[in-house]
Amino acid sequence: MDVLTPRTLEEALTLKAVRPEAVPIQGGTDLMVSLNFDHLRPEVILNLNEVAELRGWSRENGVLRLGAGLTYTELLHGEVAEALPVLAEASRTVGSPQIRNRGTIGGNLGTASPAGDALPPLLVEEAEVELASTRGTRRVSLGEFLVGPKQNALSQDELIAAVVVAPSRQPQTFMKVGPRNAMVISVCSLALVADREHGELRAAYGSSGPVVGLVRAPLDEVGSFAERVAAAASPIDDVRGSAAYRRHALGVLAARALERCLA
Amino acid sequence: MTTAALSHGRAETATRRHDAVPKVRGEFAYANDLRAAGMLWGHTVRSPHAHARVVSIDTSEAARMPGVHAVLTHDDVPGRKTYGLDFPDQPVLASDRVRYFGEAVAIVAAEEPEQARRAAEAVRVEYEVLQPIVDPERATESEPLHPPGTTARHGFREDPRPNVVRAMVVTRGDIEAPADVTVSGVYEVGQQDQAFLGPESGLALPDGEGGVDIHVATQWTHVDRDQVAPCLALEPEQVRVHLAGVGGAFGGREDLSMQIHAALLALRTGRPVKMAYNRQESFVGHIHRHPARIWAEHRATKAGQLVSVRMRILLDGGAYASSSEAVLSNACSFAIGPYAVENVEIDGLVVYTNNPPCGAMRGFGAVQTCFAAEAQMDRLAAGLGIDPVELRLLNALEPGGRLATGQVITGSLPTREVIRRAAALPIPEPEELPRDVLRLPGGAGNTTRGEGVRRGVGFAVGFKNLCYSEGFDDYCTARVRLSADGAAEVYCASAEVGQGVHDVILGVARRELGTDDVELVTGSTADVGSAGSTSASRMTWMAAGAVQLACRDALEEQERAGGGEVDVERVYRHPRTFPLDPETGQTTGERSHVAFAVAAMRVVVEVDVELGLTRVVWIGTAQDVGNALNPVAVEGQIEGGTAQGLGLALMEEIQTRDGAILNPNFTDYLMPTFLDMPPVVSDLVEEPEPDAPYGVKGVGEPPTVVSTAAIVSALRDATGRELARVPVRPDDVVGL
Amino acid sequence: MKIALTVNGEAREADVWAGESLLTALRDRLELPGSKNACEQGECGSCSVLLDGVPVCSCLVLAAQADGHEIVTVEGLARDGDLHPVQAAFADAGAVQCGFCTPGLIVATDDLLRRSPDPTDDEIREALSGNLCRCTGYAKILDAVRLAAAR
């Protein structure tokens, strides 16, 4: 096993091109568990902690570019939180302060788990993912990026550079169900935006299907929307909860979220 | 009365635990912190199947791998091939068969941990997978998992069915006596884990003369030694077990984990060998709380007097016996709670299955039956239209009354006082909305701002014995060396697992010897006789008794000799107990249990009834604690024990499929966090125990026994649902 | 592989296995076993350390990622032999039982009180929600944090 630590994005992309099997590590909150429990022994680990270009965020013409290395702690407060309250609310539900200090938005995308807490907020805010390689950069919508449970659209030589999102600045909220009151992987979660500007409701559910799913409807179909969200999900029974409960809870969450956002 | 919602004032004046400073500095040496020059790392090869025949084991490739010094299997165990706390039914390393998921099959020692892991992976084990027995209801109709009679001839009731670890009946009076009302129910308790934070770990050092020193986190060094030595084909003196720092225990360290394995590897390689489980391995490295299925029928007069109680208790013992027989006995003996009932029929059974092995965990059988019996009492109160607290007061068992086992209570048992005082604790007013989501069900998950939230108040009473029972020769040894100038060294092997027994010992010695110049030398089988186990709420009592006795005799001897140095070792025994009659479960002497403790608890919850999520708002408890030697430590036991009961009520369960554990990690085995635990108001009911030194009582178990029942009582009040199973799942609350 | 880092103010080097965590490196290579390994998946906080001044679970940091960085462990909090005020408060309030969670809680509490010297109970509970304690039920820990803040 080997650890490569590039200092610039260019160097990182070159290394990824030469060693496509390299497994990237940023905050380590997913990968380290696999290493500690002897579930994974990659040949090469690509440590992205020292790549300054992946850190921080910027704004251009009202569009936010969130570096892949942005941590949940950085999403909790300040300008990004004001622009994307749904993402800030989701960040507060992620693990503990220690986890939020390390876990990154890019890591959440890379893992592409249906339980990823940042994913439903980004989906309802119609975010795009910026993927970089020595061949150049490309942007894909988050919906296209998430291709299956823990599977994403990254090519072997690509790294996640950033998330790009034009905040809707419409009423929005995030809710996450877990059997204890902190530090829990979601049994199911829901992000919702009541986008009055476009006359649209958008909801994204987590942990209730193979990928995080998006449901849209015209604003005037609010009466049936909660049911539609519950019906759109395809949850399974697992160690964290039952399919029946998840479907039920999604309906409750959606109804409450609508009340919050349309009040 | 001592109320401790906020104990600033007391904290300012309390003395620090003797181990507090090294612990807060990070300098306290836990078992996993030990190292030795030339040390190797051990690793265990474990079965991925809950039930299989071991066809072959090929260690040749593993043995050739870099850094590997030894790969051992069943054939390399030089002495007895099996061990066990009560019955030697568990193989040191599996020979022809594995009976549970994670059973040890081979062990490896290598220079580096990663080399040991890779070598363990390279051990080729061929299994022929067998159908696992996973339903305890069907265990007695299935193929036997152990040779017949494995647990027979222990004075238990004869039961020829296969896979019976112990069957028992406790019966008294006329179960058909006329009554006005009957309530019945079926209750289930899931499998809880001790989840102590410091995983199993230890270091074995060969002594160069064929013997071995084992430094390990355990609850009873001497019984470890007595199990280890025969398997190594050594004399007990050749195996010295030393207590290393213990990161919590709660019953989970009563059985052996890595002790024999590390010793085998150390003796084979001639090098020190350290073994340290990770969390995943820890889940298969120790026994768990018995899952239970309990049918109960309570009958009473219109006025609320209990006429009869019938219960059928089935415990899933898992693959090996551990202390299952004693857990069952406790479950049956205390099944009806601290209530006076003349007519009783309790039918208990604990069986072998291919599920994870079960044994001791804080509460030891009483947790499961308290959950069922207290639900029955609530149900009876509702059926009769009597206040639940009044119903309990009306039936309270007090000194002079009889247990289900026929034993007359002679010591302290202030049941009514405890109930009255818990019921009198003022509960907080409902908090206004809006409020921070942290103070709502669902917490940080932001799931409600008040929608769907209902409040409930619950009450329960828990009851359990103190010390070992049924004729077990239970004793504790202490040794005191007094120097001519009055300085003292006190030796006692009692295991400090975090509860504070070492401070009890120091306090007793200082008081008895009249000097502060006392040093405690702990925990080695080489220096002093057995202290018995840190379990059964016995250690404070027993250690205080032994140290008191040794100190007094040391002073007397020094006086007799006219000064000079003395060195005395004394053995303390609590009042003698007698077996239960195998046919009736009635005591065959004055008593089968030594003494008792009772706790009552009042709980306020808020439940989001649409999502099934719960916030426990407040807990108030009154507990019979005897004479509280250290009130801060007593409160700490109550608060911590309550948290474990809260965990069982709301979230903690080992889930299995075909015997395999599905959630052997802290991501999916959930324990209460800071945000799940409410403030606990503890009212200490201090009535000295006449049979105990200084009138002490053990205090660690009653809060765990009562809190699960009390919390679910509050959930029932909030939701109107039966909630007959713990942990209560969100599905159960919303009615899916 | 070799890493060089600053631990508790001291320049240190360690030869680590590429796949091992900072926690393992601290405990087994640098002889600083104060940080505890209870879960090794970031759920319990027992391994909390400051990484460049920020509290993290050292079990979730690859040792190689700490190369060139500054670490403070529980062993680095006491100054000149005196207990750190948070350490003293934990000892005084009866917040220590088995003590396995204590080092991580002390690191996390120290961070909380530096950010928020007079925290509310809710703040304390949220800030420490990533530190599991199996012994105390958290009541005495809450007392200890209040005591440390008051002092």
Side-chain angles (χ1 to χ4, degrees):
Chain A
M1 199 186 295
D2 206 2
V3 183
L4 306 173
T5 302
R7 304 278 150 178
T8 65
L9 184 58
E10 194 189 338
E11 195 189 338
L13 296 176
T14 306
L15 287 170
K16 187 67 174 143
V18 178
R19 303 292 297 272
E21 77 280 16
V23 178
I25 184 168
Q26 184 66 267
T29 55
D30 288 325
L31 182 63
M32 286 306 296
V33 178
S34 301
L35 290 175
N36 291 341
F37 281 178
D38 203 359
H39 293 159
L40 194 67
R41 287 289 179 263
E43 288 271 301
V44 192
I45 297 174
L46 188 62
N47 169 26
L48 299 174
N49 274 190
E50 309 299 331
V51 179
E53 294 101 309
L54 296 176
R55 300 224 165 265
W57 59 277
S58 62
R59 176 159 41 203
E60 209 171 310
N61 300 327
V63 174
L64 288 175
R65 186 177 179 281
L66 310 176
L70 209 56
T71 66
Y72 294 105
T73 299
E74 292 169 311
L75 293 168
L76 270 181
H77 305 288
E79 282 182 61
V80 178
E82 278 162 36
L84 293 168
V86 66
L87 187 56
E89 284 181 355
S91 298
R92 192 184 183 192
T93 74
V94 174
S96 62
Q98 290 93 321
I99 300 294
R100 297 197 281 271
N101 287 338
R102 286 293 290 171
T104 64
I105 195 166
N108 216 220
L109 290 163
T111 298
S113 158
D117 291 318
L119 304 182
L122 291 173
L123 207 53
V124 291
E125 284 290 88
E126 306 190 291
E128 292 186 325
V129 188
E130 186 182 304
L131 308 175
S133 70
T134 51
R135 296 175 287 123
T137 58
R138 61 178 177 128
R139 281 190 190 176
V140 296
S141 73
L142 180 56
E144 286 167 337
F145 178 77
L146 303 169
V147 299
K150 302 204 171 181
Q151 291 174 315
N152 60 40
L154 273 172
S155 297
Q156 280 247 299
D157 62 345
E158 282 180 320
L159 293 173
I160 300 165
V163 176
V164 179
V165 57
S168 70
R169 303 200 178 263
Q170 297 295 303
Q172 52 194 269
T173 193
F174 177 83
M175 306 154 113
K176 169 166 135 182
V177 171
R180 72 179 171 189
N181 292 331
M183 282 290 290
V184 71
I185 307 271
S186 78
V187 171
C188 63
S189 65
L190 184 92
L192 185 138
V193 173
D195 190 344
R196 289 206 168 89
E197 197 179 315
H198 297 95
E200 185 178 66
L201 295 167
R202 290 189 298 278
Y205 52 81
S207 298
S208 296
V211 291
V212 175
L214 181 67
V215 184
R216 295 168 185 272
L219 200 51
D220 57 14
E221 291 178 19
V222 61
S224 61
F225 192 62
E227 269 169 53
R228 281 184 61 178
V229 171
S234 48
I236 55 167
D237 291 329
D238 67 18
V239 71
R240 293 177 191 144
S242 69
Y245 173 75
R246 286 175 158 125
R247 202 180 287 282
H248 162 84
L250 276 182
V252 174
L253 293 181
R256 290 182 183 178
L258 286 169
E259 217 166 287
R260 277 183 205 180
C261 294
L262 295 171
Chain B
M1 162 170 168
T2 326
T3 302
L6 187 149
S7 51
H8 267 313
R10 174 173 286 160
E12 296 278 14
T13 56
T15 47
R16 291 174 175 172
R17 290 171 61 108
H18 83 291
D19 58 6
V21 169
K23 282 179 174 175
V24 298
R25 295 175 79 105
E27 290 169 355
F28 185 81
Y30 295 90
N32 198 358
D33 300 337
L34 303 177
R35 308 181 64 82
M39 180 178 94
L40 301 173
W41 293 82
H43 198 79
T44 313
V45 179
R46 295 185 178 276
S47 168
H49 308 292
H51 194 196
R53 209 165 66 75
V54 178
V55 179
S56 65
I57 305 174
D58 179 358
T59 62
S60 54
E61 185 189 339
R64 285 193 304 268
M65 289 177 72
V68 173
H69 286 253
V71 185
L72 307 182
T73 68
H74 183 77
D75 292 335
D76 300 300
V77 179
R80 200 170 69 193
K81 302 281 188 180
T82 59
Y83 70 96
L85 207 49
D86 291 348
F87 316 100
D89 62 351
Q90 181 158 359
V92 175
L93 292 165
S95 54
D96 57 335
R97 194 175 193 183
V98 287
R99 297 180 180 85
Y100 77 99
F101 169 79
E103 181 159 352
V105 179
I107 46 177
V108 174
E111 298 278 349
E112 284 280 325
E114 179 67 2
Q115 291 171 332
R117 289 191 287 263
R118 296 285 67 83
E121 192 181 51
V123 172
R124 304 277 166 249
V125 186
E126 192 188 330
Y127 296 99
E128 180 193 325
V129 177
L130 303 171
Q131 185 66 37
I133 303 171
V134 294
D135 180 359
E137 298 271 11
R138 300 179 59 183
T140 55
E141 301 146 21
S142 306
E143 286 296 301
L145 291 170
H146 291 269
T150 297
T151 63
R153 295 178 303 281
H154 279 264
F156 302 160
R157 186 165 180 248
E158 287 295 312
D159 190 325
R161 294 175 295 174
N163 298 318
V164 171
V165 179
R166 183 175 183 178
M168 70 184 288
V169 171
V170 175
T171 178
R172 222 156 66 76
D174 173 15
I175 200 66
E176 304 296 343
D180 299 322
V181 290
T182 302
V183 293
S184 63
V186 178
Y187 303 89
E188 270 186 60
V189 177
Q191 186 165 43
Q192 189 179 23
D193 189 60
Q194 295 82 356
F196 41 71
L197 282 193
E200 291 84 347
S201 189
L203 177 66
L205 301 109
D207 66 8
E209 296 166 8
V212 65
D213 285 85
I214 304 171
H215 298 259
V216 65
T218 179
Q219 291 179 237
W220 188 358
T221 47
H222 287 73
V223 86
D224 281 9
R225 177 198 64 189
D226 294 346
Q227 292 175 87
V228 172
C231 296
L232 301 176
L234 294 176
E235 295 302 317
E237 304 75 48
Q238 292 177 282
V239 176
R240 290 160 301 273
V241 178
H242 312 273
L243 183 70
V246 183
F250 318 117
R253 298 190 207 267
E254 283 194 19
D255 297 78
L256 296 179
S257 57
M258 44 56 64
Q259 286 90 327
I260 305 175
H261 297 161
L264 280 170
L265 290 167
L267 290 168
R268 175 62 69 99
T269 61
R271 301 261 295 261
V273 173
K274 176 167 171 171
M275 294 186 91
Y277 294 177
N278 70 14
R279 179 54 55 186
Q280 208 159 0
E281 189 170 19
S282 179
F283 270 95
V284 296
H286 62 262
I287 51 71
H288 315 285
R289 189 189 297 291
H290 290 79
R293 182 169 299 177
I294 299 167
W295 172 84
E297 180 194 77
H298 283 54
R299 295 162 71 245
T301 65
K302 274 184 197 143
Q305 197 76 48
L306 283 170
V307 173
S308 70
V309 175
R310 279 206 296 174
M311 286 174 106
R312 195 176 83 81
I313 300 164
L314 176 64
L315 303 181
D316 183 350
Y320 295 102
S322 179
S323 52
S324 281
E325 54 86 14
V327 173
L328 179 76
S329 179
N330 253 42
C332 292
S333 294
F334 308 106
I336 59 181
Y339 305 115
V341 187
E342 285 306 309
N343 309 300
V344 179
E345 189 181 283
I346 294 157
D347 196 337
L349 180 68
V350 58
V351 292
Y352 283 126
T353 65
N354 293 113
N355 289 322
C358 292
M361 184 177 173
R362 197 175 196 167
F364 207 77
V367 168
Q368 293 91 327
T369 48
C370 180
F371 171 65
E374 288 298 290
Q376 285 285 102
M377 292 300 279
D378 277 353
R379 209 174 260 199
L380 193 58
L384 290 166
I386 297 177
D387 178 81
V389 172
E390 288 306 316
L391 181 74
R392 288 169 168 94
L393 283 171
L394 181 67
N395 290 286
L397 178 69
E398 295 249 297
R402 271 179 202 279
L403 288 175
T405 57
Q407 177 177 338
V408 177
I409 306 284
T410 54
S412 146
L413 188 66
T415 305
R416 285 200 179 89
E417 178 72 1
V418 161
I419 293 173
R420 277 197 205 100
R421 277 166 61 170
L425 293 171
I427 61 174
E429 290 294 316
E431 193 190 347
E432 298 283 317
L433 293 167
R435 46 177 129 129
D436 193 308
V437 293
L438 296 182
R439 295 196 309 282
L440 282 163
N446 191 28
T447 48
T448 181
R449 298 190 176 161
E451 308 98 309
V453 176
R454 283 196 216 151
R455 183 175 157 106
V457 181
F459 193 86
V461 185
F463 176 53
K464 195 193 168 287
N465 63 321
L466 312 174
C467 305
Y468 279 25
S469 305
E470 290 186 81
F472 186 86
D473 181 22
D474 191 14
Y475 64 92
C476 179
T477 313
R479 180 179 154 205
V480 173
R481 285 179 58 183
L482 271 183
S483 64
D485 63 2
E489 281 180 345
V490 178
Y491 294 77
C492 184
S494 64
E496 170 64 67
V497 298
Q499 83 284 33
V501 71
H502 285 177
D503 291 278
V504 169
I505 291 172
L506 283 166
V508 168
R510 287 177 181 139
R511 178 165 165 172
E512 293 295 332
L513 299 172
T515 174
D516 281 346
D517 195 359
V518 177
E519 200 186 325
L520 176 62
V521 186
T522 61
S524 173
T525 58
D527 299 331
V528 63
S530 173
S533 181
T534 289
S535 50
S537 294
R538 68 179 281 289
M539 204 67 255
T540 290
W541 173 327
M542 300 300 285
V547 173
Q548 182 189 53
L549 189 64
C551 286
R552 287 180 181 178
D553 284 6
L555 285 175
E556 213 178 283
E557 198 162 303
Q558 196 174 44
E559 199 184 316
R560 212 171 26 238
E565 192 178 311
V566 295
D567 186 342
V568 305
E569 182 166 309
R570 292 291 179 272
V571 170
Y572 170 84
R573 284 183 166 79
H574 58 61
R576 186 180 168 193
T577 63
F578 296 85
L580 296 170
D581 181 277
E583 297 310 315
T584 65
Q586 297 298 293
T587 187
T588 55
E590 184 209 355
R591 55 175 126 193
S592 293
H593 299 288
V594 178
F596 310 92
V598 61
M601 188 172 279
R602 203 169 182 211
V603 175
V604 179
V605 298
E606 288 180 340
V607 184
D608 180 339
V609 296
E610 293 166 14
L611 287 176
L613 304 179
T614 297
R615 171 190 175 227
V616 181
V617 175
W618 176 91
I619 294 177
T621 184
Q623 185 172 322
D624 156 34
V625 299
N627 177 25
L629 291 184
N630 180 346
V632 172
V634 169
E635 286 166 10
Q637 286 296 304
I638 292 174
E639 290 152 0
T642 301
Q644 292 184 1
L646 183 149
L648 178 59
L650 296 176
M651 61 187 84
E652 292 187 29
E653 183 172 13
I654 291 178
Q655 299 182 49
T656 58
R657 187 190 300 133
D658 295 334
I661 298 181
L662 301 174
N663 56 340
N665 54 65
F666 282 176
T667 300
D668 288 315
Y669 184 86
L670 298 179
M671 289 186 285
T673 69
F674 223 128
L675 285 170
D676 297 290
M677 260 310 279
V680 176
V681 176
S682 305
D683 183 357
L684 309 185
V685 177
E686 295 193 60
E687 183 182 288
E689 168 60 39
D691 286 326
Y694 309 108
V696 300
K697 282 193 175 188
V699 299
E701 293 182 285
T704 305
V705 173
V706 70
S707 52
T708 303
I711 289 163
V712 179
S713 168
L715 283 169
R716 291 191 194 102
D717 185 49
T719 63
R721 295 198 184 274
E722 288 196 8
L723 306 181
R725 184 185 193 283
V726 284
V728 175
R729 290 166 294 209
D731 302 55
D732 306 328
V733 173
V734 302
L736 290 172
Chain C
M1 63 184 289
K2 288 263 188 345
I3 61 168
L5 66 172
T6 304
V7 185
N8 299 331
E10 202 180 314
R12 301 287 303 268
E13 284 186 11
D15 191 4
V16 303
W17 170 59
E20 83 187 24
S21 65
L22 172 61
L23 174 65
T24 302
L26 289 169
R27 290 177 51 78
D28 293 337
R29 316 282 178 197
L30 296 167
E31 296 183 357
L32 289 166
S35 309
K36 296 300 170 215
N37 54 341
C39 79
E40 295 184 82
Q41 54 188 154
E43 294 284 347
C44 76
S46 306
C47 64
S48 298
V49 301
L50 300 179
L51 168 62
D52 297 332
V54 175
V56 302
C57 292
S58 60
C59 72
L60 297 184
V61 178
L62 194 64
Q65 290 184 297
D67 184 43
H69 292 269
E70 195 175 319
I71 308 297
V72 176
T73 72
V74 68
E75 291 101 331
L77 292 179
R79 287 274 169 262
D80 306 323
D82 288 338
L83 291 186
H84 182 281
V86 174
Q87 292 174 320
F90 271 67
D92 291 340
V96 179
Q97 288 190 29
C98 93
F100 210 78
C101 68
T102 305
L105 271 158
I106 284 173
V107 169
T109 302
D110 173 46
D111 172 70
L112 167 69
L113 296 181
R114 278 188 289 120
R115 286 186 287 113
S116 176
D118 187 22
T120 63
D121 285 0
D122 281 349
E123 256 183 279
I124 296 170
R125 289 148 61 87
E126 187 172 24
L128 302 182
S129 62
N131 291 81
L132 293 176
C133 172
R134 192 56 162 165
C135 296
T136 67
Y138 305 103
K140 299 283 183 277
I141 295 171
L142 191 63
D143 287 351
V145 180
R146 290 169 179 158
L147 188 62
R151 284 174 176 176

